[in-house]
Amino acid sequence: WAGGAQAGGEPSDNCFVGDLPGEITQEQFQSIFSAYGTVTSCRVMAPKMPGGKASALCRFSSVEEAKWIVENLNGNLAEGLPDPIACRFANAPGGKDGAGGGGGGKGGPYGGKGAPMGGGMMGKGGGMMMGKGGGKAGAPGSFFNLYGAIKKAGLLGGGKVPEECQCYIKNLPADTTDVDLYKLFAPFGAIAPTGVKAMMNDDGSCKGFGFVDFVDPTAAALAVAALGSFVMPDGTMIGVSTKLPSKKGKGKG
C-alpha cells in the first residue's frame, strides 16, 4: 500500500488502518489517533489468526484530516506504536474493509468496546494474558502499556533537560513530522523520552521549526556541527542550534 490520497476507497472522512499490534484496544487506538485529528468514531478489529495484526476503521471530523492520515502515516510510525502502519481510505459500505475483519463485528473478540473478552490481552502465540486476579502474569500485553508503565515509574529519566542538550531546528519543510525528525537526529546520539517535537499547524503541516532533546550534550553538538552547515543542492538549508547554559550570578566587570 503505497502512500497517497487515492489509496483504498474514494476520499472520505473514514480511514482503514492496518498492521496494528494484535493486542491494541479501542481506547488505546483512539488515544493515539486523537493526536492527529478529531476522531468521531472508531472500531478496532482483532487479528484473523493468533499472533496476527489488528486493524481498525476510524472516522475523522473532516475529509482533510483523513487525507492527512493517509498521506502521512501510511507506511510510517504513529507515535505510541512500535511498528509502521498501513493507512488508506475505507471502502464504501459493503466493501471488503471489516468483512470478516478479524472478528471485529458483533460477537467478535473485541466486542463493542474494542477490549478482548474476559479482560485479557493477546500475547505472542495467541495466548491470553490475564489481568488482575488472573494468575501469574507472563509477558506484558502490549508495548504501548509497557512503555507507559516504565515511563510513569521514572525509569526513563525525566525532569528538565539541560539547555546544552536542547536543539532548535528551523527552516523545516512543511511535510516534516516527529518521526522524520527522529530519523534525522537519532544517528547522532540518544534522544530523551518524548524529546522530539515538530511544531504543527491546525491543517497538519509543519510550522517550519521543531525541537530535539538529546541525553548527552556531545550528541547535540555533533548534530549542530553536521546538520547546521549542510547545504542542499538547490542552496537551501535548515538551521540547527543549541541553547547555551545560562550565565547566572556574573556581574559587570
Side-chain angles (χ1 to χ4, degrees):
W1 292 334
Q6 299 301 321
E10 291 296 319
S12 69
D13 59 2
N14 198 17
C15 290
F16 174 82
V17 184
D19 292 341
L20 294 166
E23 70 281 356
I24 193 170
T25 67
Q26 186 155 315
E27 289 77 13
Q28 291 169 345
F29 178 88
Q30 183 161 352
S31 175
I32 291 170
F33 280 82
S34 291
Y36 297 98
T38 302
V39 176
T40 59
S41 65
C42 62
R43 178 164 64 95
V44 171
M45 295 169 283
K48 293 182 179 180
M49 60 184 66
K53 295 288 189 178
S55 57
L57 291 171
C58 185
R59 190 176 297 278
F60 292 90
S61 63
S62 68
V63 176
E64 288 71 25
E65 286 186 340
K67 182 179 179 182
W68 189 94
I69 294 293
V70 172
E71 292 181 341
N72 291 276
L73 292 187
N74 184 37
N76 289 319
L77 283 169
E79 188 169 354
L81 294 178
D83 299 308
I85 57 176
C87 298
R88 58 182 172 82
F89 291 114
N91 291 328
K96 293 183 179 180
D97 292 338
K106 291 183 178 180
Y110 280 87
K113 294 185 178 180
M117 291 187 298
M121 302 190 78
M122 294 297 293
K124 290 186 177 180
M128 293 298 292
M129 304 299 299
M130 299 305 296
K132 292 183 178 179
K136 189 174 182 180
S142 74
F143 181 81
F144 180 84
N145 287 338
L146 173 65
Y147 181 85
I150 292 176
K151 182 180 178 182
K152 186 176 181 180
L155 300 179
L156 299 180
K160 183 175 176 60
V161 175
E163 292 181 338
E164 60 268 29
C165 294
Q166 301 175 30
C167 284
Y168 169 72
I169 306 98
K170 63 180 181 179
N171 295 343
L172 291 171
D175 60 351
T176 304
T177 65
D178 291 353
V179 175
D180 295 328
L181 279 184
Y182 181 85
K183 289 179 179 178
L184 186 61
F185 283 84
F188 295 98
I191 294 175
T194 64
V196 177
K197 186 63 178 178
M199 304 306 294
M200 312 300 283
N201 293 305
D202 292 338
D203 63 1
S205 63
C206 180
K207 291 183 176 180
F209 66 96
F211 304 90
V212 174
D213 293 342
F214 285 98
V215 173
D216 187 343
T218 302
L222 287 173
V224 171
L227 300 180
S229 59
F230 179 78
V231 181
M232 293 282 289
D234 62 0
T236 59
M237 60 187 297
I238 61 174
V240 184
S241 60
T242 56
K243 288 185 177 181
L244 296 176
S246 300
K247 296 181 179 180
K248 297 181 180 180
K250 291 189 177 182
K252 293 182 179 180

